[in-house]
């Protein structure tokens, strides 16, 4: 089983629709969860971070976290053609004795999203 | 505020050679991580440095090494290059306070091994 799995793509949605991206992770002690957007030929860009169960909204983006189900998702409302990119789910490990969370990010394989006019 | 700067952006090497990649983190960031990105394997963690100490290392052979300097700048080295080392090498920096751990990536160094 992969440590971080994303829903298989590619995902194609019409302009103005809601795009739903899903991610599951295997390490129960994971503490920090991130969504990155990567345009073709570019580096990953952080768009959302979430640490507690529930929803976190930032503009057209909503991240949802359910630690009991080991599930994190990203909703993009009013999708625009400029949202067309690969979306990467990333998970960071548990806290160390000092209370900080260092260590590697484990990435999913990414979901390619295409928003068509 | 300047972002993460990586040099060189593109390079071509032949098998058996070695390469050194450089990364300057965002000002004030003390943690630097390196990742390899390939179409087949995706983004894979190489190593992480904080205050000149390697805190974590991924599952890569010993040909891959790195270091961090007192000004937080970091370098990674790959010796005895193989064709499979062709990839985008990404450096990321983090403020590393509390539990946030948000990573900010540079534009990457694209290595082609012939």
């Amino acid at each position: 089983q992969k440590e971080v799995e994303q829903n298989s793509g590619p995902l194609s949605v019409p302009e103005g629709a809601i795009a739903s991206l899903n991610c599951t992770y295997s390490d129960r002690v994971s503490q920090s969860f991130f969504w990155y957007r990567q345009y073709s030929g570019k580096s990953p860009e952080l768009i959302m971070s979430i640490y507690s169960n529930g929803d976190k909204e930032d503009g057209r983006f909503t991240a949802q976290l359910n630690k009991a189900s080991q599930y994190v998702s990203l909703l993009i409302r009013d999708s625009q053609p400029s949202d067309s990119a690969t979306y990467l789910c990333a998970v960071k490990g548990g806290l160390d004795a000092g209370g900080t969370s260092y260590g590697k990010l484990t990435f999913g394989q990414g979901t390619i999203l295409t928003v068509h006019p | 505020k300047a972002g993460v700067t990586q040099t060189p952006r593109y390079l071509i090497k032949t098998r058996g050679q070695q390469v050194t990649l450089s990364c300057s983190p965002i000002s004030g960031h003390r943690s630097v991580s390196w990742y390899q990105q390939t179409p087949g394997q995706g983004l894979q963690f190489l190593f992480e440095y904080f205050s000149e100490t390697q805190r974590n290392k991924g599952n890569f052979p010993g040909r891959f090494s790195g270091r961090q300097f007192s000004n937080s700048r970091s370098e990674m080295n790959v010796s005895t290059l193989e064709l499979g080392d062709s990839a985008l090498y990404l450096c990321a920096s983090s403020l590393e306070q509390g539990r946030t751990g948000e990573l900010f990536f540079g534009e990457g160094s694209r290595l082609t091994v012939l």
Side-chain angles (χ1 to χ4, degrees), chain B residues 51-87:
Chain B
S51 293
E52 303 178 65
T53 301
Q54 186 181 89
R55 295 200 299 191
N56 207 340
K57 189 178 191 304
N59 189 25
F60 278 82
R63 300 185 296 107
F64 292 81
S65 63
R67 58 178 176 169
Q68 186 181 33
F69 303 96
S70 58
N71 61 358
S72 294
R73 191 177 68 85
S74 178
E75 289 181 347
M76 68 162 283
N77 184 277
V78 188
S79 62
T80 319
L81 284 167
E82 301 177 359
L83 295 179
D85 297 333
S86 295

PDB file of all heavy atoms in Angstrom, chain B residues 51-87:
ATOM      1  N   SER B  51      20.115  23.711  10.611  1.00  0.00           N
ATOM      2  CA  SER B  51      21.296  24.179  11.354  1.00  0.00           C
ATOM      3  C   SER B  51      22.513  23.305  11.078  1.00  0.00           C
ATOM      4  O   SER B  51      23.189  22.832  12.000  1.00  0.00           O
ATOM      5  CB  SER B  51      21.013  24.210  12.867  1.00  0.00           C
ATOM      6  OG  SER B  51      20.057  25.196  13.166  1.00  0.00           O
ATOM      7  N   GLU B  52      22.752  23.077   9.808  1.00  0.00           N
ATOM      8  CA  GLU B  52      23.925  22.359   9.310  1.00  0.00           C
ATOM      9  C   GLU B  52      23.934  20.868   9.627  1.00  0.00           C
ATOM     10  O   GLU B  52      24.933  20.183   9.366  1.00  0.00           O
ATOM     11  CB  GLU B  52      25.223  23.005   9.832  1.00  0.00           C
ATOM     12  CG  GLU B  52      25.357  24.472   9.480  1.00  0.00           C
ATOM     13  CD  GLU B  52      26.626  25.093  10.043  1.00  0.00           C
ATOM     14  OE1 GLU B  52      27.728  24.690   9.616  1.00  0.00           O
ATOM     15  OE2 GLU B  52      26.522  25.987  10.912  1.00  0.00           O
ATOM     16  N   THR B  53      22.858  20.346  10.172  1.00  0.00           N
ATOM     17  CA  THR B  53      22.781  18.933  10.533  1.00  0.00           C
ATOM     18  C   THR B  53      21.743  18.220   9.671  1.00  0.00           C
ATOM     19  O   THR B  53      20.642  18.736   9.480  1.00  0.00           O
ATOM     20  CB  THR B  53      22.397  18.775  12.017  1.00  0.00           C
ATOM     21  OG1 THR B  53      23.378  19.422  12.826  1.00  0.00           O
ATOM     22  CG2 THR B  53      22.307  17.303  12.399  1.00  0.00           C
ATOM     23  N   GLN B  54      22.114  17.055   9.189  1.00  0.00           N
ATOM     24  CA  GLN B  54      21.146  16.255   8.436  1.00  0.00           C
ATOM     25  C   GLN B  54      20.203  15.595   9.436  1.00  0.00           C
ATOM     26  O   GLN B  54      20.614  14.771  10.250  1.00  0.00           O
ATOM     27  CB  GLN B  54      21.848  15.192   7.593  1.00  0.00           C
ATOM     28  CG  GLN B  54      20.883  14.438   6.677  1.00  0.00           C
ATOM     29  CD  GLN B  54      21.604  13.355   5.860  1.00  0.00           C
ATOM     30  OE1 GLN B  54      21.736  12.225   6.299  1.00  0.00           O
ATOM     31  NE2 GLN B  54      22.060  13.718   4.696  1.00  0.00           N
ATOM     32  N   ARG B  55      18.914  15.928   9.344  1.00  0.00           N
ATOM     33  CA  ARG B  55      17.950  15.402  10.314  1.00  0.00           C
ATOM     34  C   ARG B  55      17.206  14.187   9.800  1.00  0.00           C
ATOM     35  O   ARG B  55      16.648  13.423  10.578  1.00  0.00           O
ATOM     36  CB  ARG B  55      16.933  16.475  10.705  1.00  0.00           C
ATOM     37  CG  ARG B  55      17.515  17.651  11.437  1.00  0.00           C
ATOM     38  CD  ARG B  55      16.460  18.407  12.196  1.00  0.00           C
ATOM     39  NE  ARG B  55      15.438  18.953  11.324  1.00  0.00           N
ATOM     40  CZ  ARG B  55      14.519  19.824  11.720  1.00  0.00           C
ATOM     41  NH1 ARG B  55      14.518  20.229  12.985  1.00  0.00           N
ATOM     42  NH2 ARG B  55      13.617  20.281  10.893  1.00  0.00           N
ATOM     43  N   ASN B  56      17.162  14.041   8.502  1.00  0.00           N
ATOM     44  CA  ASN B  56      16.367  12.964   7.942  1.00  0.00           C
ATOM     45  C   ASN B  56      16.912  12.638   6.563  1.00  0.00           C
ATOM     46  O   ASN B  56      17.390  13.544   5.850  1.00  0.00           O
ATOM     47  CB  ASN B  56      14.904  13.388   7.848  1.00  0.00           C
ATOM     48  CG  ASN B  56      13.943  12.213   7.905  1.00  0.00           C
ATOM     49  OD1 ASN B  56      14.321  11.072   7.654  1.00  0.00           O
ATOM     50  ND2 ASN B  56      12.695  12.494   8.222  1.00  0.00           N
ATOM     51  N   LYS B  57      16.839  11.386   6.190  1.00  0.00           N
ATOM     52  CA  LYS B  57      17.376  10.969   4.894  1.00  0.00           C
ATOM     53  C   LYS B  57      16.417   9.993   4.260  1.00  0.00           C
ATOM     54  O   LYS B  57      15.857   9.115   4.927  1.00  0.00           O
ATOM     55  CB  LYS B  57      18.749  10.316   5.080  1.00  0.00           C
ATOM     56  CG  LYS B  57      19.491  10.048   3.777  1.00  0.00           C
ATOM     57  CD  LYS B  57      20.861   9.452   4.060  1.00  0.00           C
ATOM     58  CE  LYS B  57      21.752   9.418   2.835  1.00  0.00           C
ATOM     59  NZ  LYS B  57      21.162   8.709   1.696  1.00  0.00           N
ATOM     60  N   GLY B  58      16.216  10.146   2.969  1.00  0.00           N
ATOM     61  CA  GLY B  58      15.352   9.250   2.238  1.00  0.00           C
ATOM     62  C   GLY B  58      16.084   7.996   1.792  1.00  0.00           C
ATOM     63  O   GLY B  58      17.259   7.783   2.090  1.00  0.00           O
ATOM     64  N   ASN B  59      15.383   7.188   1.040  1.00  0.00           N
ATOM     65  CA  ASN B  59      15.912   5.900   0.622  1.00  0.00           C
ATOM     66  C   ASN B  59      16.637   6.013  -0.714  1.00  0.00           C
ATOM     67  O   ASN B  59      16.169   5.516  -1.737  1.00  0.00           O
ATOM     68  CB  ASN B  59      14.762   4.883   0.547  1.00  0.00           C
ATOM     69  CG  ASN B  59      15.265   3.476   0.327  1.00  0.00           C
ATOM     70  OD1 ASN B  59      16.399   3.167   0.681  1.00  0.00           O
ATOM     71  ND2 ASN B  59      14.446   2.632  -0.263  1.00  0.00           N
ATOM     72  N   PHE B  60      17.755   6.665  -0.696  1.00  0.00           N
ATOM     73  CA  PHE B  60      18.577   6.831  -1.890  1.00  0.00           C
ATOM     74  C   PHE B  60      19.976   6.293  -1.592  1.00  0.00           C
ATOM     75  O   PHE B  60      20.425   6.289  -0.442  1.00  0.00           O
ATOM     76  CB  PHE B  60      18.659   8.312  -2.285  1.00  0.00           C
ATOM     77  CG  PHE B  60      17.476   8.782  -3.071  1.00  0.00           C
ATOM     78  CD1 PHE B  60      16.307   9.155  -2.426  1.00  0.00           C
ATOM     79  CD2 PHE B  60      17.532   8.855  -4.458  1.00  0.00           C
ATOM     80  CE1 PHE B  60      15.209   9.587  -3.148  1.00  0.00           C
ATOM     81  CE2 PHE B  60      16.436   9.284  -5.184  1.00  0.00           C
ATOM     82  CZ  PHE B  60      15.276   9.650  -4.535  1.00  0.00           C
ATOM     83  N   PRO B  61      20.685   5.840  -2.649  1.00  0.00           N
ATOM     84  CA  PRO B  61      22.035   5.305  -2.415  1.00  0.00           C
ATOM     85  C   PRO B  61      22.992   6.382  -1.930  1.00  0.00           C
ATOM     86  O   PRO B  61      22.730   7.575  -2.031  1.00  0.00           O
ATOM     87  CB  PRO B  61      22.441   4.777  -3.803  1.00  0.00           C
ATOM     88  CG  PRO B  61      21.539   5.452  -4.770  1.00  0.00           C
ATOM     89  CD  PRO B  61      20.260   5.728  -4.057  1.00  0.00           C
ATOM     90  N   GLY B  62      24.130   5.924  -1.418  1.00  0.00           N
ATOM     91  CA  GLY B  62      25.125   6.819  -0.857  1.00  0.00           C
ATOM     92  C   GLY B  62      25.737   7.774  -1.866  1.00  0.00           C
ATOM     93  O   GLY B  62      26.429   8.721  -1.476  1.00  0.00           O
ATOM     94  N   ARG B  63      25.472   7.532  -3.157  1.00  0.00           N
ATOM     95  CA  ARG B  63      25.981   8.466  -4.179  1.00  0.00           C
ATOM     96  C   ARG B  63      25.358   9.852  -4.033  1.00  0.00           C
ATOM     97  O   ARG B  63      25.881  10.836  -4.540  1.00  0.00           O
ATOM     98  CB  ARG B  63      25.663   7.933  -5.583  1.00  0.00           C
ATOM     99  CG  ARG B  63      26.256   6.587  -5.912  1.00  0.00           C
ATOM    100  CD  ARG B  63      25.992   6.207  -7.358  1.00  0.00           C
ATOM    101  NE  ARG B  63      24.582   6.035  -7.662  1.00  0.00           N
ATOM    102  CZ  ARG B  63      23.858   6.886  -8.383  1.00  0.00           C
ATOM    103  NH1 ARG B  63      24.414   7.976  -8.879  1.00  0.00           N
ATOM    104  NH2 ARG B  63      22.581   6.644  -8.628  1.00  0.00           N
ATOM    105  N   PHE B  64      24.235   9.879  -3.366  1.00  0.00           N
ATOM    106  CA  PHE B  64      23.541  11.147  -3.136  1.00  0.00           C
ATOM    107  C   PHE B  64      23.944  11.684  -1.761  1.00  0.00           C
ATOM    108  O   PHE B  64      23.777  10.988  -0.745  1.00  0.00           O
ATOM    109  CB  PHE B  64      22.028  10.945  -3.184  1.00  0.00           C
ATOM    110  CG  PHE B  64      21.507  10.596  -4.543  1.00  0.00           C
ATOM    111  CD1 PHE B  64      21.577   9.301  -5.026  1.00  0.00           C
ATOM    112  CD2 PHE B  64      20.933  11.577  -5.351  1.00  0.00           C
ATOM    113  CE1 PHE B  64      21.105   8.974  -6.286  1.00  0.00           C
ATOM    114  CE2 PHE B  64      20.442  11.263  -6.609  1.00  0.00           C
ATOM    115  CZ  PHE B  64      20.528   9.958  -7.074  1.00  0.00           C
ATOM    116  N   SER B  65      24.453  12.862  -1.730  1.00  0.00           N
ATOM    117  CA  SER B  65      24.871  13.447  -0.455  1.00  0.00           C
ATOM    118  C   SER B  65      24.553  14.935  -0.458  1.00  0.00           C
ATOM    119  O   SER B  65      24.260  15.517  -1.511  1.00  0.00           O
ATOM    120  CB  SER B  65      26.367  13.236  -0.222  1.00  0.00           C
ATOM    121  OG  SER B  65      27.126  13.892  -1.221  1.00  0.00           O
ATOM    122  N   GLY B  66      24.612  15.515   0.709  1.00  0.00           N
ATOM    123  CA  GLY B  66      24.321  16.941   0.793  1.00  0.00           C
ATOM    124  C   GLY B  66      25.006  17.552   1.991  1.00  0.00           C
ATOM    125  O   GLY B  66      25.642  16.855   2.792  1.00  0.00           O
ATOM    126  N   ARG B  67      24.865  18.849   2.065  1.00  0.00           N
ATOM    127  CA  ARG B  67      25.355  19.547   3.246  1.00  0.00           C
ATOM    128  C   ARG B  67      24.677  20.900   3.334  1.00  0.00           C
ATOM    129  O   ARG B  67      24.105  21.391   2.351  1.00  0.00           O
ATOM    130  CB  ARG B  67      26.869  19.718   3.194  1.00  0.00           C
ATOM    131  CG  ARG B  67      27.407  20.469   1.977  1.00  0.00           C
ATOM    132  CD  ARG B  67      28.909  20.610   2.066  1.00  0.00           C
ATOM    133  NE  ARG B  67      29.468  21.243   0.869  1.00  0.00           N
ATOM    134  CZ  ARG B  67      30.723  21.669   0.787  1.00  0.00           C
ATOM    135  NH1 ARG B  67      31.550  21.530   1.811  1.00  0.00           N
ATOM    136  NH2 ARG B  67      31.172  22.225  -0.332  1.00  0.00           N
ATOM    137  N   GLN B  68      24.767  21.481   4.509  1.00  0.00           N
ATOM    138  CA  GLN B  68      24.205  22.812   4.711  1.00  0.00           C
ATOM    139  C   GLN B  68      25.256  23.670   5.387  1.00  0.00           C
ATOM    140  O   GLN B  68      25.972  23.216   6.288  1.00  0.00           O
ATOM    141  CB  GLN B  68      22.942  22.746   5.570  1.00  0.00           C
ATOM    142  CG  GLN B  68      22.234  24.094   5.698  1.00  0.00           C
ATOM    143  CD  GLN B  68      20.992  24.027   6.567  1.00  0.00           C
ATOM    144  OE1 GLN B  68      20.940  23.261   7.529  1.00  0.00           O
ATOM    145  NE2 GLN B  68      19.983  24.828   6.240  1.00  0.00           N
ATOM    146  N   PHE B  69      25.315  24.892   4.978  1.00  0.00           N
ATOM    147  CA  PHE B  69      26.305  25.822   5.502  1.00  0.00           C
ATOM    148  C   PHE B  69      25.705  26.678   6.609  1.00  0.00           C
ATOM    149  O   PHE B  69      24.480  26.679   6.813  1.00  0.00           O
ATOM    150  CB  PHE B  69      26.848  26.693   4.363  1.00  0.00           C
ATOM    151  CG  PHE B  69      27.446  25.893   3.243  1.00  0.00           C
ATOM    152  CD1 PHE B  69      26.700  25.579   2.111  1.00  0.00           C
ATOM    153  CD2 PHE B  69      28.756  25.429   3.319  1.00  0.00           C
ATOM    154  CE1 PHE B  69      27.246  24.825   1.080  1.00  0.00           C
ATOM    155  CE2 PHE B  69      29.305  24.684   2.301  1.00  0.00           C
ATOM    156  CZ  PHE B  69      28.552  24.377   1.182  1.00  0.00           C
ATOM    157  N   SER B  70      26.557  27.426   7.278  1.00  0.00           N
ATOM    158  CA  SER B  70      26.099  28.218   8.419  1.00  0.00           C
ATOM    159  C   SER B  70      25.095  29.298   8.024  1.00  0.00           C
ATOM    160  O   SER B  70      24.307  29.758   8.849  1.00  0.00           O
ATOM    161  CB  SER B  70      27.296  28.855   9.143  1.00  0.00           C
ATOM    162  OG  SER B  70      28.028  29.671   8.252  1.00  0.00           O
ATOM    163  N   ASN B  71      25.104  29.706   6.766  1.00  0.00           N
ATOM    164  CA  ASN B  71      24.118  30.704   6.314  1.00  0.00           C
ATOM    165  C   ASN B  71      22.845  30.043   5.774  1.00  0.00           C
ATOM    166  O   ASN B  71      22.039  30.707   5.134  1.00  0.00           O
ATOM    167  CB  ASN B  71      24.738  31.601   5.243  1.00  0.00           C
ATOM    168  CG  ASN B  71      25.166  30.827   4.007  1.00  0.00           C
ATOM    169  OD1 ASN B  71      25.025  29.595   3.951  1.00  0.00           O
ATOM    170  ND2 ASN B  71      25.679  31.530   3.012  1.00  0.00           N
ATOM    171  N   SER B  72      22.687  28.757   6.035  1.00  0.00           N
ATOM    172  CA  SER B  72      21.523  27.942   5.645  1.00  0.00           C
ATOM    173  C   SER B  72      21.526  27.530   4.176  1.00  0.00           C
ATOM    174  O   SER B  72      20.695  26.716   3.785  1.00  0.00           O
ATOM    175  CB  SER B  72      20.192  28.632   5.981  1.00  0.00           C
ATOM    176  OG  SER B  72      20.050  28.741   7.371  1.00  0.00           O
ATOM    177  N   ARG B  73      22.411  28.066   3.383  1.00  0.00           N
ATOM    178  CA  ARG B  73      22.509  27.608   2.007  1.00  0.00           C
ATOM    179  C   ARG B  73      22.888  26.116   1.992  1.00  0.00           C
ATOM    180  O   ARG B  73      23.563  25.638   2.908  1.00  0.00           O
ATOM    181  CB  ARG B  73      23.553  28.420   1.250  1.00  0.00           C
ATOM    182  CG  ARG B  73      23.559  28.200  -0.256  1.00  0.00           C
ATOM    183  CD  ARG B  73      24.579  29.117  -0.935  1.00  0.00           C
ATOM    184  NE  ARG B  73      25.950  28.757  -0.604  1.00  0.00           N
ATOM    185  CZ  ARG B  73      26.660  27.833  -1.226  1.00  0.00           C
ATOM    186  NH1 ARG B  73      26.117  27.145  -2.218  1.00  0.00           N
ATOM    187  NH2 ARG B  73      27.897  27.596  -0.865  1.00  0.00           N
ATOM    188  N   SER B  74      22.425  25.423   0.981  1.00  0.00           N
ATOM    189  CA  SER B  74      22.660  23.985   0.936  1.00  0.00           C
ATOM    190  C   SER B  74      23.147  23.557  -0.433  1.00  0.00           C
ATOM    191  O   SER B  74      22.864  24.228  -1.450  1.00  0.00           O
ATOM    192  CB  SER B  74      21.368  23.243   1.286  1.00  0.00           C
ATOM    193  OG  SER B  74      21.528  21.831   1.203  1.00  0.00           O
ATOM    194  N   GLU B  75      23.870  22.490  -0.461  1.00  0.00           N
ATOM    195  CA  GLU B  75      24.287  21.860  -1.706  1.00  0.00           C
ATOM    196  C   GLU B  75      23.974  20.376  -1.636  1.00  0.00           C
ATOM    197  O   GLU B  75      23.993  19.779  -0.558  1.00  0.00           O
ATOM    198  CB  GLU B  75      25.798  22.026  -1.919  1.00  0.00           C
ATOM    199  CG  GLU B  75      26.251  23.426  -2.249  1.00  0.00           C
ATOM    200  CD  GLU B  75      27.761  23.502  -2.479  1.00  0.00           C
ATOM    201  OE1 GLU B  75      28.477  22.535  -2.150  1.00  0.00           O
ATOM    202  OE2 GLU B  75      28.219  24.549  -2.970  1.00  0.00           O
ATOM    203  N   MET B  76      23.678  19.809  -2.800  1.00  0.00           N
ATOM    204  CA  MET B  76      23.604  18.359  -2.883  1.00  0.00           C
ATOM    205  C   MET B  76      24.526  17.887  -3.994  1.00  0.00           C
ATOM    206  O   MET B  76      24.751  18.604  -4.982  1.00  0.00           O
ATOM    207  CB  MET B  76      22.188  17.851  -3.083  1.00  0.00           C
ATOM    208  CG  MET B  76      21.537  18.146  -4.396  1.00  0.00           C
ATOM    209  SD  MET B  76      20.105  17.068  -4.699  1.00  0.00           S
ATOM    210  CE  MET B  76      20.903  15.539  -5.168  1.00  0.00           C
ATOM    211  N   ASN B  77      25.064  16.730  -3.806  1.00  0.00           N
ATOM    212  CA  ASN B  77      26.024  16.168  -4.746  1.00  0.00           C
ATOM    213  C   ASN B  77      25.573  14.777  -5.151  1.00  0.00           C
ATOM    214  O   ASN B  77      25.105  13.995  -4.307  1.00  0.00           O
ATOM    215  CB  ASN B  77      27.412  16.119  -4.091  1.00  0.00           C
ATOM    216  CG  ASN B  77      28.477  15.637  -5.042  1.00  0.00           C
ATOM    217  OD1 ASN B  77      28.653  14.435  -5.226  1.00  0.00           O
ATOM    218  ND2 ASN B  77      29.178  16.554  -5.662  1.00  0.00           N
ATOM    219  N   VAL B  78      25.707  14.493  -6.425  1.00  0.00           N
ATOM    220  CA  VAL B  78      25.463  13.135  -6.902  1.00  0.00           C
ATOM    221  C   VAL B  78      26.729  12.681  -7.606  1.00  0.00           C
ATOM    222  O   VAL B  78      27.176  13.335  -8.566  1.00  0.00           O
ATOM    223  CB  VAL B  78      24.265  13.044  -7.862  1.00  0.00           C
ATOM    224  CG1 VAL B  78      23.939  11.578  -8.164  1.00  0.00           C
ATOM    225  CG2 VAL B  78      23.051  13.748  -7.297  1.00  0.00           C
ATOM    226  N   SER B  79      27.308  11.599  -7.146  1.00  0.00           N
ATOM    227  CA  SER B  79      28.533  11.090  -7.762  1.00  0.00           C
ATOM    228  C   SER B  79      28.206   9.908  -8.661  1.00  0.00           C
ATOM    229  O   SER B  79      27.128   9.308  -8.569  1.00  0.00           O
ATOM    230  CB  SER B  79      29.524  10.675  -6.670  1.00  0.00           C
ATOM    231  OG  SER B  79      28.982   9.623  -5.890  1.00  0.00           O
ATOM    232  N   THR B  80      29.126   9.596  -9.534  1.00  0.00           N
ATOM    233  CA  THR B  80      28.999   8.449 -10.439  1.00  0.00           C
ATOM    234  C   THR B  80      27.594   8.391 -11.034  1.00  0.00           C
ATOM    235  O   THR B  80      26.820   7.455 -10.832  1.00  0.00           O
ATOM    236  CB  THR B  80      29.312   7.132  -9.699  1.00  0.00           C
ATOM    237  OG1 THR B  80      30.432   7.302  -8.833  1.00  0.00           O
ATOM    238  CG2 THR B  80      29.644   6.036 -10.708  1.00  0.00           C
ATOM    239  N   LEU B  81      27.275   9.416 -11.781  1.00  0.00           N
ATOM    240  CA  LEU B  81      25.925   9.563 -12.321  1.00  0.00           C
ATOM    241  C   LEU B  81      25.500   8.366 -13.164  1.00  0.00           C
ATOM    242  O   LEU B  81      26.285   7.785 -13.912  1.00  0.00           O
ATOM    243  CB  LEU B  81      25.838  10.833 -13.157  1.00  0.00           C
ATOM    244  CG  LEU B  81      25.770  12.136 -12.360  1.00  0.00           C
ATOM    245  CD1 LEU B  81      26.019  13.334 -13.276  1.00  0.00           C
ATOM    246  CD2 LEU B  81      24.425  12.269 -11.659  1.00  0.00           C
ATOM    247  N   GLU B  82      24.230   8.023 -13.022  1.00  0.00           N
ATOM    248  CA  GLU B  82      23.595   6.970 -13.820  1.00  0.00           C
ATOM    249  C   GLU B  82      22.472   7.595 -14.634  1.00  0.00           C
ATOM    250  O   GLU B  82      21.953   8.664 -14.296  1.00  0.00           O
ATOM    251  CB  GLU B  82      23.049   5.879 -12.898  1.00  0.00           C
ATOM    252  CG  GLU B  82      24.105   5.223 -12.032  1.00  0.00           C
ATOM    253  CD  GLU B  82      23.518   4.191 -11.077  1.00  0.00           C
ATOM    254  OE1 GLU B  82      22.283   4.005 -11.079  1.00  0.00           O
ATOM    255  OE2 GLU B  82      24.303   3.574 -10.328  1.00  0.00           O
ATOM    256  N   LEU B  83      22.075   6.877 -15.698  1.00  0.00           N
ATOM    257  CA  LEU B  83      20.999   7.396 -16.542  1.00  0.00           C
ATOM    258  C   LEU B  83      19.743   7.682 -15.723  1.00  0.00           C
ATOM    259  O   LEU B  83      19.027   8.664 -15.957  1.00  0.00           O
ATOM    260  CB  LEU B  83      20.688   6.407 -17.668  1.00  0.00           C
ATOM    261  CG  LEU B  83      21.802   6.160 -18.689  1.00  0.00           C
ATOM    262  CD1 LEU B  83      21.339   5.134 -19.718  1.00  0.00           C
ATOM    263  CD2 LEU B  83      22.207   7.463 -19.377  1.00  0.00           C
ATOM    264  N   GLY B  84      19.480   6.813 -14.757  1.00  0.00           N
ATOM    265  CA  GLY B  84      18.282   6.951 -13.936  1.00  0.00           C
ATOM    266  C   GLY B  84      18.282   8.144 -13.005  1.00  0.00           C
ATOM    267  O   GLY B  84      17.269   8.430 -12.367  1.00  0.00           O
ATOM    268  N   ASP B  85      19.400   8.844 -12.928  1.00  0.00           N
ATOM    269  CA  ASP B  85      19.467  10.042 -12.085  1.00  0.00           C
ATOM    270  C   ASP B  85      18.892  11.261 -12.794  1.00  0.00           C
ATOM    271  O   ASP B  85      18.764  12.327 -12.182  1.00  0.00           O
ATOM    272  CB  ASP B  85      20.913  10.324 -11.678  1.00  0.00           C
ATOM    273  CG  ASP B  85      21.508   9.216 -10.826  1.00  0.00           C
ATOM    274  OD1 ASP B  85      20.741   8.522 -10.126  1.00  0.00           O
ATOM    275  OD2 ASP B  85      22.745   9.036 -10.867  1.00  0.00           O
ATOM    276  N   SER B  86      18.560  11.096 -14.068  1.00  0.00           N
ATOM    277  CA  SER B  86      17.932  12.198 -14.795  1.00  0.00           C
ATOM    278  C   SER B  86      16.603  12.544 -14.130  1.00  0.00           C
ATOM    279  O   SER B  86      15.726  11.686 -13.992  1.00  0.00           O
ATOM    280  CB  SER B  86      17.695  11.810 -16.259  1.00  0.00           C
ATOM    281  OG  SER B  86      18.913  11.605 -16.928  1.00  0.00           O
ATOM    282  N   ALA B  87      16.463  13.773 -13.712  1.00  0.00           N
ATOM    283  CA  ALA B  87      15.288  14.157 -12.933  1.00  0.00           C
ATOM    284  C   ALA B  87      15.299  15.656 -12.697  1.00  0.00           C
ATOM    285  O   ALA B  87      16.275  16.348 -13.012  1.00  0.00           O
ATOM    286  CB  ALA B  87      15.266  13.438 -11.585  1.00  0.00           C
TER     287      ALA B  87
END
